[in-house]
Amino acid sequence: MELTLAPIPYHWSRDALRDFYARIADEAPVDTVILGELICSKRAPFFEADLPEIAERLEAGGKRVIWSSLAEILLKRERKATDDLCAVDDGRLVEANNAAALRALAGRPHRVGPMMNVYNEETMRFLAAQGATHVSLPPELPRAGVAVMAQAARAAGLGIEVQVFGRASLAVSARCYHARAHGRTKDNCQFVCEEDPDGMPLATMDGDPFLVVNGIQTLSRSYVNLAAHVSDMRAMGVSALRLVPQRQDMVAVAKVFAELAAARIDGQEAAARLDAMQMDAPFSNGFWLGEAGYRRIARAS
């Protein structure tokens, strides 16, 4: 089983982003790193010029680099940027996270990201016929659904990936919640999302912690943690495990999942190691078990 590091969903400073990827290149036992802006095109100019150098350093560290498209396209400049990204011929694949990227990539090898919401075998087979080589499933897909999709992926010759760590993306919107929460418009947001490098926490009217906002994106408050279920995924034929970056020690997280993916430790030990890191958010596995997504359920399947 391979280990994939998803694109950073948050708006981190340029220095924080460069330092993060330098450490990933040198220390993290991941196989694939997906680079690029996923959530908001306004953030891209802050670090876009650094991406070629970051990609080269990651590759020098033995990582495969994949480019990420945006999850949502609303403007002509975003469509053009997507077309330009998909036209790059540098030997690196693109992960499509919206239909515009799929159109631009049709007929050429590419990956399909979790924002495309591939929920059934027919969709997967259609995407494979269009050139997809690898599909990352949406994080809310339960175990039974993943088992069916993994079987279909084997038949179609596709890699199949499941998110095993990090906040689950629940929705994206045309509106920027972050800007609105600070009395600003989307066009005049002043990049307020940078103030929340792990997302802006939301609470219910009763004051209970609820969700997390990241610009136009709504995320789970909890970190998905499927360490206890990786052996089950291996038996199904899941070929890659996806880690979503958080403001935690992602090198340490990657090391736990790398040992788990290689079957050097079991799910119980991996879960204990992650618990010992005392992270800033609770863990959850409810979606995997077909329950409410925020729940953490002690069940082996």
Side-chain angles (χ1 to χ4, degrees):
M1 303 178 86
E2 296 186 353
L3 211 55
T4 299
L5 186 67
I8 298 169
Y10 309 103
H11 184 27
W12 291 358
S13 70
R14 181 187 179 196
D15 287 345
L17 186 141
R18 287 179 63 91
D19 289 347
F20 174 78
Y21 283 120
R23 190 164 179 237
I24 293 297
D26 296 343
E27 302 177 40
V30 299
D31 301 286
T32 301
V33 179
I34 304 172
L35 287 179
E37 181 54 49
L38 178 66
I39 301 303
C40 179
S41 62
K42 290 177 65 178
R43 302 171 179 175
F46 286 93
F47 59 84
E48 212 164 36
D50 297 322
L51 289 182
E53 180 184 339
I54 290 171
E56 289 175 4
R57 178 158 184 178
L58 287 165
E59 288 168 342
K63 280 67 173 172
R64 177 194 302 113
V65 172
I66 307 290
W67 299 123
S68 173
S69 78
L70 283 167
E72 184 176 73
I73 294 178
L74 299 174
L75 305 171
K76 287 184 178 179
R77 65 171 173 79
E78 292 171 340
R79 189 174 66 223
K80 182 180 184 305
T82 298
D83 287 342
D84 291 346
L85 171 70
C86 295
V88 171
D89 186 15
D90 63 359
R92 303 179 183 112
L93 296 182
V94 174
E95 181 179 86
N97 278 293
N98 61 68
L102 284 179
R103 177 193 59 80
L105 292 164
R108 290 184 288 131
H110 60 274
R111 292 190 170 209
V112 175
M115 296 294 194
M116 287 305 304
N117 292 336
V118 180
Y119 289 125
N120 60 70
E121 312 97 295
E122 286 302 316
T123 299
M124 183 181 288
R125 282 191 280 267
F126 172 82
L127 293 170
Q130 298 298 304
T133 62
H134 184 101
V135 175
S136 184
L137 298 174
E140 68 270 24
L141 203 62
R143 178 197 179 280
V146 171
V148 172
M149 297 294 274
Q151 183 177 8
R154 285 198 302 274
L158 292 174
I160 197 79
E161 184 171 282
V162 172
Q163 179 181 331
V164 293
F165 179 83
R167 288 202 165 99
S169 180
L170 303 177
V172 290
S173 169
R175 293 177 180 268
C176 179
Y177 306 117
H178 239 120
R180 189 173 182 135
H182 290 268
R184 303 171 189 174
T185 65
K186 185 177 180 181
D187 290 339
N188 188 34
C189 65
Q190 300 174 48
F191 302 99
V192 69
C193 54
E194 189 176 4
E195 297 177 11
D196 298 296
D198 207 40
M200 179 177 69
L202 299 183
T204 66
M205 293 184 69
D206 294 328
D208 297 324
F210 183 39
L211 298 170
V212 164
V213 162
N214 169 43
I216 64 170
Q217 183 184 35
T218 303
L219 296 156
S220 64
R221 172 179 174 248
S222 60
Y223 295 157
V224 171
N225 176 1
L226 300 186
H229 309 288
V230 167
S231 61
D232 195 17
M233 294 178 200
R234 182 184 293 107
M236 291 178 190
V238 171
S239 57
L241 308 177
R242 190 177 182 98
L243 311 177
V244 175
Q246 308 292 158
R247 284 302 288 255
Q248 306 294 334
D249 187 345
M250 291 303 299
V251 170
V253 171
K255 287 179 178 178
V256 171
F257 278 99
E259 291 198 53
L260 191 54
R264 290 192 290 268
I265 60 173
D266 61 17
Q268 185 175 0
E269 182 175 347
R273 289 188 190 181
L274 292 167
D275 284 338
M277 294 181 193
Q278 298 183 332
M279 298 188 189
D280 298 333
F283 291 142
S284 62
N285 63 350
F287 282 139
W288 177 258
L289 295 172
E291 304 281 351
Y294 73 92
R295 296 183 62 192
R296 187 179 191 185
I297 301 165
R299 203 153 83 208
S301 62

